[in-house]
Structure formats: C-alpha cells, structure tokens
Amino acid sequence: MEATEFSTQLPIFWFGTFDAALNEKFGETAPFWGGEETYRQLLSANSVSAYQLEQAVASVYQQHGTELIECFSLTAKYFDEIELGAPVLAMLTAPTLRSFCEQLCRYSIHIHPLLKLICRETEHGELEFWTLTHEFVDEITLVSHLSLGLYLSVILKLIRRYLKSPNIRLPIHINRITIDMDVTPLFEQIFNVEVRTGYPARYFVFSKQLADKTHRRFDPVLHESLTALAEQQTDHIAQSSILYKVNNVLQNKEVNTISLESVAAELHISPRTLNRRLQQEGVSFRRLYDKYRLEQSLKMLNQDNLSVTYIAHELGFSDSSAFSRAFKRWTGESPKQKVG
C-alpha cells in the first residue's frame, strides 16, 4: 500500500487553503503535491491525508526555504472559518475567550483529528491553551515541526477572529525550534507572536482579564442553538472516527485498567481489528495511550500538592524513575519542571 493509505484524513480545506497560499506566492502548485495527476485528484477530493499535506510542506521548504513561513500566514488568510459550519460558529459566539477555548478543544476533531487541544486554568487564573501533536519530542522531524506552523496559523486566526483583534501579539511556549537555522525572529514577525522556548508543552497564555472579558454582545439563545448543531455535527463524525472513539474510552477509564484488550472490549471489536484500524490512521494504540498519559501528567504536574511519585503511580508506572524517563522522552524536559 501507498504511505498515504496509512495516514489520517484531514478536512479538504487544508488542501484548498494551503494550495491557494502557494498559488499566490509561487504560481504553479501541482509539483508541490506530487504532480499533475495527484493534484487533479485532490481538486475533486473530500479530504487530504496528513501525509500528503506534510509532504507538500516539506517540498516547499526544500525548494524555497523560509519563504514557507510566509505561506503559512497566507494560508490563514485564505482559511474561511465558515466552511467548518456550526462548530466554528458556536465557538465564535461564545461569551468569553475561556468558553471559546473550551469549545475549540471540544470540536478540534473538525480541524485536525490528531491535534489534541487542551485548555487549563493556572493557579493565578491565567488560561493556558495547549496544542499536542501525535509525535513526541524525541521523534519530531523537520517535516512534522514545519507542519505544526501550518496548523498553528489557522488556530491563531480563530483566536484573533474571536477576540476581534487581528493584530494582537500572543506569547507561545514551545520546547524548541528544530529547523536547522534560527527562524525565531521570522516566525515571531510573520505570526505576530512571542516565542518562549524550553517548555514541555506547546501552549498560548492568556491573562485572566483577557480570558474572562466579554468580547462581544452575547446572545445565549443563538449560542445554544449553534452549540446543539455543533454537537450533532461532531457526533456524526465521531461515529466513524476510531481515534475519537478510542480517546473517549481513555477519558472514561481508570489509567491502571487501560489496555488494548479492555479498550477493544469497550468498542465491541477485537484487539486485532482495533490495531488494524488505528494502523490505517497512521497511529498505534500505544501511541494514543502514551499521549493520554502525557496529557494527564501535564495536568497533574501543575497541582502543587501532587508529587512525581504519586503521579507515576496514578499513571501506571512502576516507579518515579520510569515515569521520569518516559516524560523526558515525551517532552524533552524533566517532570520536575513546572509547565505553568
């Protein structure tokens, strides 16, 4: 089978918006997508694989270097949030930025099934908005790192669209930039962000005042109606998404009871079938389980009353050393370093 057959399918707007950006910047775009035949297929397709999208990103970088980052900004320009329907409309009619972020996390499957979005409140009342990819730090390649810029461009547009502040400068915390040159100043300029490195998770930080301020005239009836439609749209996708189903089971089980067999039983399929269906999405059960444990560990490490030893036990590790090794592999940092 082709590599593209083992890759999560993304909404077709990723192809349309990125291709429009490439067309504005360079003109002819088919070569970036693997040639005329593949390009014609994508023009009439209902989805684009994550593999195809990331290969196009890599192709642009190989041929044009850091001009790629400008293309990300143009992608956001061509992204029409209305294309995503009720989920985005529900977000944009939310009463506060805090509730907007909560709904963005809830409906992230409509944007990218493998992007895990999490929002949490710090002890000082600030709002952190995390973006977790399916790769861990020690596995991130140049291609996956570059592609994250594409995804962030759309998320940033949604945030700024909600705030009605297209020029607001936002801080973004990351572990490190892995491109083979220092593009931080260019990244900051084009995305209008302040990059802060050395953090286990990628996240934006919003002040309590910004998070809780009412940014628009709130219509509760309209918002409730759009949220109901968004739930219907999400349920429809969830019925056919094995990633969504597995993550939902993980969220509702005690960590020490989680196994391939127990999750498969919850989904009324065999472990072999579950493995096969996840393989078709380009991930493994172990990957989803570890990503869930990472998510839980990041949350627990921000609670002052929880020790590393306690967290290790709660997440099913034999001891704190085993947890520390796993956390370092996942994030590049020691679990003793606070995230917030």
Side-chain angles (χ1 to χ4, degrees), residues 37-245:
E37 182 178 353
T38 301
Y39 185 70
R40 284 196 299 270
Q41 292 173 351
L42 284 169
L43 287 174
S44 59
N46 295 318
S47 63
V48 59
S49 75
Y51 175 85
Q52 288 175 301
L53 190 64
E54 293 185 357
Q55 289 305 303
V57 167
S59 180
V60 175
Y61 182 71
Q62 289 163 3
Q63 297 179 47
H64 299 282
T66 55
E67 288 182 87
L68 170 66
I69 300 176
E70 186 179 342
C71 293
F72 292 160
S73 179
L74 290 172
T75 298
K77 167 187 166 183
Y78 283 105
F79 169 64
D80 181 1
E81 55 267 36
I82 303 303
E83 285 186 45
L84 296 184
V88 165
L89 293 175
M91 298 174 206
L92 295 178
T93 56
T96 64
L97 178 63
R98 193 178 301 276
S99 56
F100 162 85
C101 287
E102 289 171 353
Q103 289 201 308
L104 182 50
C105 295
R106 167 69 178 161
Y107 302 133
S108 63
I109 190 174
H110 299 278
I111 298 172
H112 194 307
L114 288 179
L115 271 185
K116 193 67 178 292
L117 305 181
I118 305 168
C119 59
R120 63 171 293 276
E121 183 177 326
T122 71
E123 58 184 7
H124 303 296
E126 295 173 317
L127 179 68
E128 293 180 352
F129 183 74
W130 301 348
T131 60
L132 303 179
T133 60
H134 58 291
E135 302 96 350
F136 296 122
V137 162
D138 66 343
E139 303 165 328
I140 289 179
T141 63
L142 178 62
V143 173
S144 61
H145 190 90
L146 289 169
S147 300
L148 182 64
L150 180 63
Y151 308 141
L152 287 176
S153 70
V154 167
I155 291 172
L156 274 167
K157 180 172 183 177
L158 286 172
I159 293 171
R160 289 174 172 140
R161 172 77 169 80
Y162 175 78
L163 293 174
K164 296 184 179 178
S165 300
N167 299 315
I168 189 172
R169 187 173 177 83
L170 299 171
I172 179 170
H173 297 65
I174 62 174
N175 183 265
R176 64 180 181 268
I177 291 182
T178 57
I179 301 175
D180 57 359
M181 62 186 77
D182 185 8
V183 297
T184 302
L186 183 62
F187 191 89
E188 289 181 322
Q189 176 189 349
I190 290 177
F191 283 94
N192 193 24
V193 294
E194 178 189 348
V195 176
R196 302 173 184 174
T197 58
Y199 294 84
R202 305 177 191 93
Y203 60 95
F204 299 99
V205 180
F206 307 109
S207 67
K208 185 178 188 303
Q209 180 182 14
L210 186 66
D212 292 332
K213 176 184 175 183
T214 301
H215 293 276
R216 61 190 63 245
R217 186 174 180 179
F218 178 56
D219 184 334
V221 175
L222 174 62
H223 179 63
E224 185 177 338
S225 298
L226 289 171
T227 298
L229 290 173
E231 288 296 317
Q232 292 177 14
Q233 196 170 325
T234 302
D235 288 343
H236 178 72
I237 291 180
Q239 288 175 11
S240 59
S241 171
I242 191 64
L243 296 175
Y244 187 92
K245 291 177 179 178

